């Protein structure tokens, strides 16, 4: 019974690991789609925020909501959009801004930064699931046709929706672009009807505008005061910026076309991002204005009829309960599907990075264990926030803003490296604005940082434990020998044996190699009648986990040498020995000298710097990679 459950949970683990360990080119071979259809896939998360954004804006900014929303739209079109158009050009395989930062900031500092950003990305996606489910429940319980016993049962309905989402993914879920197109098309059409009808009522009743203006003047005095307050409060509306990171992550699904498919994909992704931003900006401004002037401010507060459902309030109030119910159903559907999109994003994002760093347990490559973990976390967060849409807005905005700020930083650093000083200055200004917005949101509502800190701590702790437990597995993808290296190996094969001396290169002169050979003959008892090969491994980037070894051969004086760079000396030596055995049919011998020093210190050095006490680690890697002692390359230490 237990074995059957384990097999079911880990089904597809190895296939999924191979698909997600690369840079996104696996996904690029999937069937592509027109950019506008892929926009609908990202739009189930982006456009669905219309279900709660106007209400959250009204609570955060009050009667200044339309002005604060205009500031948000300016930041969207003049800040986030240019940033992500650049990200699309630099990560055409869907790696996103996290991969850009990983390349720009190499070694451990880059890896740790990516792990931290993964924590904020997890916050973004998990809160998308919980916030969307909570708002879907809000729309359901406030519908007049819903049975009375469900009124006030927001928590129960939210948990049920999250559980249903988890069950769907446990059975297996494929992103259905066709379903997304229908949902987004219907939802935007219904929102257009609601907004246009609301604006018609506004202009037929000019007194509501007059009342709104009087209230603005009463509360804020002057236009400059209104602008100043709007600039201060607009970070609270920042969840309306969501969708850009998802837009670039789905790039492999965008059809390229033309003579250069990759360039065509970049161009079409930019169309996707621009169109989505323009459509959303129009809806944000018009919906914020209509809901602010037509709905009493008290209705936006917790327990009010417009709390978390401002546009639904107008739909029922001005277009009737029948139309309002259709609007509620479409809203519930797209919000639920937004949760599905977020779940799919997490299931692709986390395995894409962590296995490449050696920082994912083996079960992280399987979908079902991750689904269970994510669902449990979503339950806990829903309970913490009491299924409140308004309460989760700050945490959601924090995740969104940190990702956008990191993207702005990545693009800024990239512009500097490419020598584009004008672009660097412009992107630097945008980065400063987003950093300010992020900090202001964190200070005002620190819940997002608390949740992100939990995710970051959990990811880093799990990653380091995984890195330690997987450090002794063979983690070389392939070994490639150049022509000179092949000639050296072929000559050794003709002699009937392959004997290598591990050498830490120093001066690399004749004296160094003669001393090393004499030491091997005296202390390691290497046969005097053989001509050994010196194997020299130098550390490349020790923070990398998997690598391809490019072995170069050379001859210095009368000595034959194989040279290679690798994140780990012991792992590289073990991989080369196994490769030589498989290519030649001869069991190679490797000769080491013992390393003097504290074994614990060497263990730590091996984990983080790739060297340490090489002989025993090499032998252990070989033992795990080749369980048959009769076929295992031989390790000699003296």
């Amino acid at each position: 019974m237990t074995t059957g459950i384990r097999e079911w949970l880990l089904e597809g683990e190895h296939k999924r690991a191979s698909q997600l360990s690369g840079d996104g080119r696996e996904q690029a071979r999937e069937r592509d789609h027109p950019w506008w259809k892929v926009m609908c896939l990202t739009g189930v998360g982006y456009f669905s925020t219309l279900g709660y954004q106007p209400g959250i804006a009204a609570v955060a900014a009050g009667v200044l909501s339309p002005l604060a929303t205009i500031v948000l739209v300016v930041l969207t079109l003049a800040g986030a959009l240019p940033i992500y158009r650049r990200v699309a050009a630099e990560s055409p395989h869907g790696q996103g801004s996290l991969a850009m930062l990983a390349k720009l900031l190499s070694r451990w500092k880059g890896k740790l930064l990516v792990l931290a950003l993964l924590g904020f990305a997890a916050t973004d996606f998990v809160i998308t699931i919980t916030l969307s489910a909570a708002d879907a429940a809000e729309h359901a319980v406030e519908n007049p046709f819903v049975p009375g016993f469900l009124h006030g049962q927001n928590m129960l309905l939210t948990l049920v929706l999250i559980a249903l989402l988890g069950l769907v993914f446990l059975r297996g879920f494929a992103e259905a672009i066709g379903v997304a197109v229908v949902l987004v098309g219907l939802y935007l059409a219904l929102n257009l009807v609601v907004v246009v009808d609301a604006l018609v009522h506004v202009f037929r009743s000019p007194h509501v505008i007059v009342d709104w203006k009087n209230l603005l003047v009463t509360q804020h005095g002057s236009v400059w005061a209104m602008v100043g307050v709007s600039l201060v409060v607009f970070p609270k509306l920042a969840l309306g910026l969501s969708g850009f990171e998802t837009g670039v992550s789905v790039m492999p699904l965008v059809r390229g076309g033309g003579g250069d498919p990759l360039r065509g994909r970049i161009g079409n992704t930019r169309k996707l991002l621009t169109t989505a931003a323009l459509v959303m900006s129009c809806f944000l401004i018009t919906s914020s204005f209509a809901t602010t002037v037509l709905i009493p401010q008290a209705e936006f507060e917790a327990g009010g009829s417009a709390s978390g459902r401002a546009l639904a309030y107008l739909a029922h109030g001005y277009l009737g309960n029948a139309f309002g119910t259709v609007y509620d159903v479409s809203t519930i559907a797209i919000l639920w599907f937004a949760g599905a999109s977020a779940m799919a994003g997490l299931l692709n994002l986390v395995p894409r990075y962590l296995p490449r760093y050696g920082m994912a347990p083996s079960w992280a490559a399987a979908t079902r264990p991750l689904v269970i973990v994510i669902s449990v976390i979503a339950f806990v967060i829903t309970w913490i926030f009491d299924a409140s849409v308004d309460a989760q807005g700050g945490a959601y905005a924090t995740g969104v803003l940190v990702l956008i700020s990191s993207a702005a930083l990545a693009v800024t650093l990239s512009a500097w490296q490419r020598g584009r000083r004008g672009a660097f200055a412009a992107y630097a200004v945008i980065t400063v604005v987003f950093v300010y917005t992020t900090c202001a949101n964190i200070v005002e509502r620190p819940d997002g940082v608390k949740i992100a800190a939990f995710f970051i701590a959990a990811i880093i702790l799990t990653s380091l434990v995984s890195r330690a437990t997987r450090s002794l597995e063979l983690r070389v993808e392939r070994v490639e020998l150049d022509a000179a290296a092949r000639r050296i190996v072929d000559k050794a094969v003709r002699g009937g044996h392959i004997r290598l001396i591990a050498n830490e290169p120093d001066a690399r002169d004749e004296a160094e190699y003669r001393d090393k050979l004499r030491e091997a003959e005296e202390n390691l008892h290497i046969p005097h009648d053989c001509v050994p090969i010196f194997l020299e491994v130098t550390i490349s980037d020790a923070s990398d986990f998997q690598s391809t070894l490019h072995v170069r051969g050379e001859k210095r004086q009368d000595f034959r040498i194989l040279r290679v760079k690798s994140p780990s000396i012991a792992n590289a030596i073990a991989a080369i020995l196994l490769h030589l055995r498989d290519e030649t049919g001869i069991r190679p011998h490797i000769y080491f000298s013992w390393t003097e020093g504290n074994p614990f210190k060497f263990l730590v050095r091996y984990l983080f710097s790739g060297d340490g006490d090489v002989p025993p680690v090499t032998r252990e890697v070989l033992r795990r990679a080749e369980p048959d002692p009769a076929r295992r390359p031989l390790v000699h230490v003296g």
Side-chain angles (χ1 to χ4, degrees):
M1 180 67 177
T2 304
T3 303
I5 294 175
R6 177 180 174 82
E7 291 177 352
W8 177 77
L9 284 173
L10 300 180
E11 183 179 352
E13 172 187 334
H14 300 295
K15 179 180 178 181
R16 182 170 173 80
S18 65
Q19 290 175 341
L20 291 170
S21 61
D23 60 2
R25 289 177 175 82
E26 289 290 335
Q27 292 185 359
R29 290 195 287 268
E30 296 179 5
R31 181 168 173 254
D32 53 18
H33 304 269
W35 65 268
W36 60 270
K37 287 189 176 181
V38 182
M39 183 187 72
C40 292
L41 180 61
T42 65
V44 293
Y46 189 29
F47 298 137
S48 67
T49 59
L50 289 170
Y52 46 81
Q53 168 76 5
I56 289 179
V59 171
V63 294
L64 280 175
S65 174
L67 298 180
T69 300
I70 290 175
V71 176
L72 177 67
V73 167
V74 171
L75 185 58
T76 298
L77 300 180
L81 182 57
I83 289 294
Y84 277 95
R85 284 173 63 89
R86 186 67 237 165
V87 172
E90 299 201 24
S91 60
H93 299 291
Q95 309 97 311
S97 60
L98 271 67
M100 288 180 62
L101 282 174
K103 292 178 181 177
L104 292 168
L105 302 173
S106 60
R107 303 186 182 275
W108 280 108
K109 59 180 179 292
K111 302 297 189 298
L112 291 175
L113 177 60
V114 169
L115 292 179
L117 291 176
L118 281 175
F120 285 102
T123 302
D124 183 3
F125 284 117
V126 171
I127 297 296
T128 296
I129 295 171
T130 59
L131 180 61
S132 298
D135 194 54
E138 187 73 48
H139 281 78
V141 300
E142 292 295 332
N143 188 279
F145 298 117
V146 168
F149 68 89
L150 288 177
H151 288 285
Q153 298 298 321
N154 298 54
M155 174 71 78
L156 175 62
L157 288 176
T158 302
L159 294 177
V160 168
L161 288 172
I162 294 173
L164 289 175
L165 181 67
L167 289 174
V168 168
F169 276 88
L170 286 176
R171 289 181 57 86
F173 182 87
E175 290 179 336
I177 289 184
V179 175
V181 170
V182 173
L183 285 177
V184 169
L186 176 62
Y187 184 67
L188 290 182
L190 292 173
N191 273 283
L192 182 62
V193 172
V194 173
V195 170
V196 170
D197 180 75
L199 292 176
V200 169
H201 279 83
V202 169
F203 292 112
R204 284 180 178 176
S205 307
H207 68 276
V208 296
I209 300 179
V210 174
D211 293 342
W212 174 61
K213 289 182 178 179
N214 292 336
L215 198 56
L216 279 175
V217 173
T218 301
Q219 292 186 3
H220 302 286
S222 68
V223 173
W224 292 111
M226 298 175 196
V227 173
V229 175
S230 297
L231 291 173
V232 172
V233 301
F234 91 90
K236 300 178 182 179
L237 283 61
L239 52 84
L241 289 165
S242 64
F244 285 99
E245 190 73 31
T246 308
V248 294
S249 69
V250 298
M251 281 188 70
L253 300 176
V254 177
R255 182 172 299 162
D260 187 345
L262 193 62
R263 186 177 296 274
R265 181 193 299 164
I266 293 172
N268 286 335
T269 301
R270 287 176 163 179
K271 290 180 185 177
L272 180 158
L273 295 170
T274 303
T275 304
L278 289 173
V279 170
M280 189 63 174
S281 296
C282 292
F283 272 111
L284 284 174
I285 293 174
T286 53
S287 63
S288 177
F289 174 71
T291 54
T292 300
V293 301
L294 291 176
I295 300 176
Q297 193 67 26
E299 297 293 344
F300 291 111
E301 301 297 333
S305 300
S307 176
R309 54 186 299 276
L311 288 175
Y313 179 95
L314 295 181
H316 283 275
Y318 291 108
L319 294 167
N321 287 332
F323 180 90
T325 299
V326 174
Y327 182 84
D328 284 340
V329 171
S330 71
T331 304
I332 292 170
I334 196 170
L335 286 168
W336 185 84
F337 208 76
S341 176
M343 179 76 82
L346 274 172
L347 294 177
N348 283 278
L349 183 67
V350 173
R352 173 177 290 177
Y353 287 98
L354 297 186
R356 293 170 59 191
Y357 300 166
M359 293 179 172
S362 59
W363 55 261
T367 296
R368 287 170 179 144
L370 279 179
V371 170
I372 294 173
V373 171
I374 294 168
S375 298
V376 170
I377 293 173
F379 284 156
V380 173
I381 290 177
T382 298
W383 174 73
I384 291 173
F385 286 104
D386 196 28
S388 170
V389 175
D390 294 334
Q392 295 179 75
Y396 185 25
T398 298
V400 171
L401 285 170
V402 170
L403 289 181
I404 295 180
S405 298
S406 67
L409 175 62
V411 171
T412 303
L413 294 176
S414 176
W416 177 265
Q417 288 191 348
R418 289 183 285 114
R420 299 181 59 192
R421 297 299 179 254
F424 167 77
Y427 290 138
V429 171
I430 295 173
T431 302
V432 170
V433 173
F434 276 118
V435 170
Y436 155 73
T437 307
T438 304
C439 294
N441 185 79
I442 290 173
V443 171
E444 180 71 23
R445 294 175 292 182
D447 292 329
V449 171
K450 295 176 181 178
I451 295 174
F454 165 77
F455 281 121
I456 292 170
I459 289 174
I460 291 179
L461 178 62
T462 304
S463 297
L464 293 179
V465 171
S466 175
R467 178 91 178 204
T469 56
R470 296 184 60 193
S471 62
L472 295 175
E473 70 181 49
L474 190 66
R475 59 200 206 211
V476 174
E477 295 173 332
R478 64 181 183 275
V479 178
E480 299 175 351
L481 277 65
D482 69 2
R486 288 192 176 279
R487 287 195 296 270
I488 290 173
V489 173
D490 290 342
K491 185 174 181 180
V493 171
R494 288 194 296 271
H497 51 70
I498 300 176
R499 299 182 186 274
L500 302 102
I501 298 175
N503 181 49
E504 183 178 354
D506 188 14
R508 305 195 72 238
D509 55 12
E510 182 178 4
E512 177 182 338
Y513 293 112
R514 289 198 182 280
D515 290 344
K516 191 70 177 181
L517 178 59
R518 184 175 62 255
E519 178 186 344
E521 290 174 344
E522 294 176 356
N523 298 333
L524 303 175
H525 308 293
I526 188 172
H528 292 275
D529 58 347
C530 78
V531 181
I533 302 170
F534 288 92
L535 178 58
E536 299 178 347
V537 184
T538 53
I539 297 294
S540 53
D541 182 355
S543 66
D544 287 336
F545 191 73
Q546 296 176 326
S547 64
T548 295
L549 299 183
H550 303 280
V551 183
R552 297 184 293 111
E554 64 176 82
K555 191 173 182 181
R556 284 178 173 261
Q557 291 82 39
D558 294 327
F559 302 103
R560 296 173 295 165
I561 305 165
L562 298 180
R563 305 193 69 195
V564 66
K565 291 184 177 181
S566 170
S568 165
I569 294 177
N571 225 277
I573 293 174
I576 291 171
L577 293 173
L578 292 170
H579 177 79
L580 294 178
R581 180 204 65 182
D582 296 339
E583 289 289 313
T584 65
I586 299 175
R587 292 173 69 193
H589 295 243
I590 183 77
Y591 294 84
F592 294 97
S593 296
W594 280 116
T595 306
E596 299 290 339
N598 188 315
F600 179 77
K601 176 182 176 182
F602 286 133
L603 175 62
V604 175
R605 282 180 56 184
Y606 171 69
L607 291 176
F608 293 99
S609 63
D611 51 5
D613 197 0
V614 175
V617 177
T618 301
R619 198 268 177 186
E620 181 61 19
V621 172
L622 286 170
R623 187 187 70 82
R624 296 191 181 201
E626 176 51 75
D628 184 0
R631 299 189 69 246
R632 190 182 302 151
L634 298 173
V635 177
H636 305 267
V637 189

